[in-house]
Amino acid sequence: MSFLLRKVRKNKWYKTETIAWLLPGEFQSDPLGDLATTGNKLSVYRVEDDCSNLERVVAALAANCDKIANFDYVLFQETILKEIGIKSEQTKGETPDETVNNCHLDLIELSAFRLVDLAKQVLDRGEVKRFLVREVTNFLADSIQKGYINKAKVSLNPKDKEKIDKLIQSNSTFNSD
């Protein structure tokens, strides 16, 4: 039973039981902003049930950003899709890590109702988590050092690329002693 990962803004995915104007079973609309679709499709990445590829997926997605930042994401069981009638198709991702690209899925034929149902299920049963800048930097350095990510394909600004280079150099120096 694998998980699906979607990058989100953690502050939009808080539980809202204390908001008086919400009716029972409702949730705020803010999380829907993180589920923006294109062509009625939503991009997600498959994470192994033991989360053994989680850090690699995060590194690949972070490598496409302009700067290294906290990485907020939601992780939910893939079985939710079948339960609420959402179809998926495996498509190639667009990260600098080819293995991670093969973990990409598009959730397809998404109506507004299905998208809202997905958001509700993810809020109820998913886990919203965060990796801090330091952790994301380490994941990126590790993926580059292991050859998962070609450094030339990293979209980060020069200052953050330099941070990663220094970390890789310090790891290489430490490991050669």
Side-chain angles (χ1 to χ4, degrees), residues 29-54:
S29 60
D30 290 349
L32 295 176
D34 287 333
L35 301 179
T37 60
T38 302
N40 301 305
K41 296 178 183 181
L42 182 69
S43 175
V44 295
Y45 285 83
R46 184 176 280 130
V47 173
E48 299 300 327
D49 58 350
D50 63 358
C51 292
S52 58
N53 66 332
L54 176 61

Side-chain angles (χ1 to χ4, degrees), residues 22-112:
L22 286 173
L23 297 174
E26 288 187 332
F27 61 93
Q28 293 185 82
S29 60
D30 290 349
L32 295 176
D34 287 333
L35 301 179
T37 60
T38 302
N40 301 305
K41 296 178 183 181
L42 182 69
S43 175
V44 295
Y45 285 83
R46 184 176 280 130
V47 173
E48 299 300 327
D49 58 350
D50 63 358
C51 292
S52 58
N53 66 332
L54 176 61
E55 293 173 4
R56 188 168 174 177
V57 170
V58 170
L61 292 170
N64 278 343
C65 297
D66 295 332
K67 68 177 198 160
I68 300 173
N70 291 337
F71 188 94
D72 296 343
Y73 64 98
V74 65
L75 203 61
F76 59 97
Q77 292 181 346
E78 190 170 359
T79 56
I80 287 175
L81 300 181
K82 185 176 270 189
E83 292 171 21
I84 60 177
I86 292 179
K87 297 177 186 176
S88 65
E89 64 183 7
Q90 186 154 356
T91 57
K92 190 167 178 78
E94 297 178 359
T95 76
D97 184 325
E98 288 305 316
T99 298
V100 170
N101 289 341
N102 293 328
C103 298
H104 182 264
L105 296 173
D106 278 329
L107 308 185
I108 61 170
E109 300 176 11
L110 287 173
S111 68

Side-chain angles (χ1 to χ4, degrees), residues 141-142 144-146 164-177:
D142 187 54
I144 291 169
Q145 202 166 19
K146 290 179 176 173
I164 290 173
D165 286 341
K166 286 180 182 178
L167 185 57
I168 290 170
Q169 288 172 350
S170 70
N171 285 344
S172 296
T173 303
F174 179 75
N175 290 333
S176 65
D177 289 344

Side-chain angles (χ1 to χ4, degrees), residues 141-158:
D142 187 54
S143 283
I144 291 169
Q145 202 166 19
K146 290 179 176 173
Y148 301 153
I149 293 176
N150 179 341
K151 189 169 62 171
K153 294 183 178 182
V154 173
S155 299
L156 296 171
N157 64 59

